[in-house]
Amino acid sequence: MASPKLKYLSLGVLVFQTTSLVLTMRYSRTIQGDGPRYLASSAVVIAELLKILACLLLVLKEHSYSLRALNSILRQEIVNKPMETLKLAIPSGIYTLQNNLLYVALSNLDAATYQVTYQLKILTTALFSVSMLGRRLGVYQWMSLLILMAGVALVQLNAYALLPRRIQWPSESPEAKEKEAQATGSQFVGVAAVLVACCSSGFAGVYFEKILKESKQSVWVRNIQLGMFGLVFGLFGMLAYDGERVRQSGVFQGYNMITWTVVALQALGGLVIAAVIKYADNILKGFATSLSIIVSTLISYFWLQDFDPTSTDPKVIHFSWRIVDRQSPNTNKCLGEEDYPGS
Ligand code: C5P
């Protein structure tokens, strides 16, 4: 039985990590500095590399900092058990796809829509937990899942229904029509990316939980196996999508402090999620990440004053999450979103 202290500690760190990641990631993808924007595919690779290094340090710590013990564990568990290692290629490939999809989603959706829609992963996780782990859910649990689906549907309805009125372009001009079509198109791309990510998140999470709970192997060794494949898939992805740009301006083009923060938070996420899956489970992980929506809303509203709950239509409560560029001379500039009426 896992210690309750570790269980709640890992869940608490997960709330912190998810809250900070979504805000910094959205900020990093929407703010335009002077140079080129960093390559999302390179951020995925670097985060994977950092995660492997951190896991190696954790295994080293588990074995009283003996390099010899580390070497023998890696040989025994990774090199000598190729079939066991290969099992991790499945969640790893899926996570690599997912990590790239989330950048697509956050480049096209505002943080609030993204976060709420991504909560559908609780539903996919529950379905995979039932089918793959034989977990049973009670009536109330199924009912909460239905309410979750209804909530996500309302957010989407809101985004589409308000789109033409939210954006203040003279609706007759051809440029306005083109912009409107682009905004609708990118909303669609963003939502499609999140929905695929929800399915991959549910499956990969439950698959990893099954592997962890069916063997006694250290979670950090499992994470190294996962990360090794992640690194290989990520490198392929980077070369396939951004090979030309990498050859021209290098892997670290457009990196700044914010990019490094995103990369570090993503690496931390990998560690914390592994710990949560081990000490708690995937469904509790879902609740922890949902809690992070409330935490980030409160932080934005009371502290950053970036969250602007507005209701332009009495029938529809409309939340717009505005990330303000504090360095910009125009401090009210809303990044990546158009100005809303009445704002
Ligand atoms: O949204 P979701 O909870 O599915 O996100 C899981 C994230 O955690 C992915 O970015 C995945 O790469 C990462 N992860 C990891 N190591 C694990 C499990 C997940 O890095 N053992």
Side-chain angles (χ1 to χ4, degrees):
M1 185 68 193
S3 120
K5 204 171 126 199
L6 281 175
K7 177 169 157 181
Y8 291 110
L9 180 70
S10 59
L11 285 167
V13 179
L14 183 61
V15 173
F16 163 80
Q17 182 270 339
T18 315
T19 307
S20 337
L21 180 63
V22 71
L23 291 174
T24 38
M25 206 188 209
R26 168 79 180 156
Y27 187 82
S28 74
R29 294 308 284 170
T30 48
I31 198 166
Q32 270 292 263
D34 291 336
R37 194 156 77 157
Y38 73 92
L39 305 173
S41 60
S42 119
V44 170
V45 169
I46 303 300
E48 213 60 63
L49 205 59
L50 280 185
K51 200 179 73 181
I52 296 177
L53 287 176
C55 289
L56 284 172
L57 279 178
L58 287 164
V59 178
L60 200 61
K61 182 174 171 278
E62 274 179 351
H63 294 86
S64 321
Y65 298 99
S66 154
L67 280 174
R68 187 182 295 232
L70 174 70
N71 188 24
S72 116
I73 289 277
L74 296 183
R75 190 174 305 214
Q76 230 174 20
E77 294 301 327
I78 300 178
V79 183
N80 293 349
K81 291 184 185 163
M83 289 321 283
E84 287 294 300
T85 303
L86 216 55
K87 276 188 192 166
L88 274 299
I90 296 168
S92 172
I94 294 174
Y95 275 141
T96 308
L97 173 78
Q98 178 181 321
N99 289 339
N100 284 288
L101 279 175
L102 294 184
Y103 279 99
V104 175
L106 271 167
S107 306
N108 290 292
L109 297 176
D110 63 278
T113 308
Y114 158 81
Q115 262 201 332
V116 176
T117 313
Y118 196 33
Q119 295 319 299
L120 269 188
K121 69 182 176 178
I122 303 180
L123 175 71
T124 54
T125 303
L127 294 178
F128 284 116
S129 298
V130 169
S131 56
M132 289 166 63
L133 298 175
R135 207 160 270 158
R136 288 181 156 270
L137 298 182
V139 171
Y140 288 123
Q141 285 163 314
W142 284 116
M143 270 167 59
S144 348
L145 289 172
L146 281 180
I147 295 171
L148 167 76
M149 276 172 66
V152 173
L154 276 179
V155 168
Q156 292 311 317
L157 202 68
N158 182 11
Y160 280 108
L162 291 174
L163 197 65
R165 284 184 297 111
R166 273 163 57 179
I167 298 171
Q168 288 182 307
W169 300 304
S171 54
E172 299 310 320
S173 74
E175 305 89 63
K177 285 205 171 119
E178 197 185 316
K179 266 189 163 181
E180 216 170 287
Q182 271 174 10
T184 314
S186 60
Q187 169 92 12
F188 178 79
V189 170
V191 172
V194 181
L195 291 182
V196 177
C198 286
C199 296
S200 73
S201 166
F203 176 77
V206 173
Y207 187 99
F208 188 71
E209 183 175 348
K210 196 168 156 69
I211 291 184
L212 265 189
K213 293 186 173 164
E214 277 176 358
S215 76
K216 291 217 175 327
Q217 192 41 261
S218 144
V219 60
W220 309 125
V221 173
R222 291 287 183 222
N223 240 17
I224 294 173
Q225 291 171 307
L226 194 75
M228 274 169 24
F229 289 110
L231 191 60
V232 174
F233 291 135
L235 276 170
F236 269 119
M238 186 174 78
L239 295 177
Y241 289 107
D242 295 316
E244 197 49 48
R245 279 190 274 183
V246 169
R247 270 185 288 278
Q248 268 168 12
S249 316
V251 173
F252 296 107
Q253 58 186 288
Y255 270 54
N256 56 24
M257 275 309 287
I258 302 278
T259 320
W260 281 110
T261 311
V262 169
V263 167
L265 281 170
Q266 245 198 353
L268 174 70
L271 302 181
V272 179
I273 285 173
V276 166
I277 294 177
K278 179 173 169 74
Y279 298 117
D281 63 49
N282 269 296
I283 299 183
L284 273 174
K285 168 172 134 319
F287 279 109
T289 43
S290 307
L291 190 62
S292 91
I293 296 184
I294 300 172
V295 175
S296 41
T297 304
L298 292 177
I299 292 177
S300 298
Y301 187 72
F302 288 108
W303 191 25
L304 303 174
Q305 287 163 7
D306 288 347
F307 186 68
D308 173 22
T310 54
S311 174
T312 52
D313 180 334
K315 288 194 259 18
V316 190
I317 299 169
H318 168 215
F319 289 98
S320 75
W321 193 325
R322 316 182 77 232
I323 297 175
V324 175
D325 177 4
R326 297 204 171 274
Q327 272 106 52
S328 160
N330 171 12
T331 45
N332 270 332
K333 192 174 139 217
C334 175
L335 297 166
E337 290 178 37
E338 302 300 331
D339 283 339
Y340 294 167
S343 61

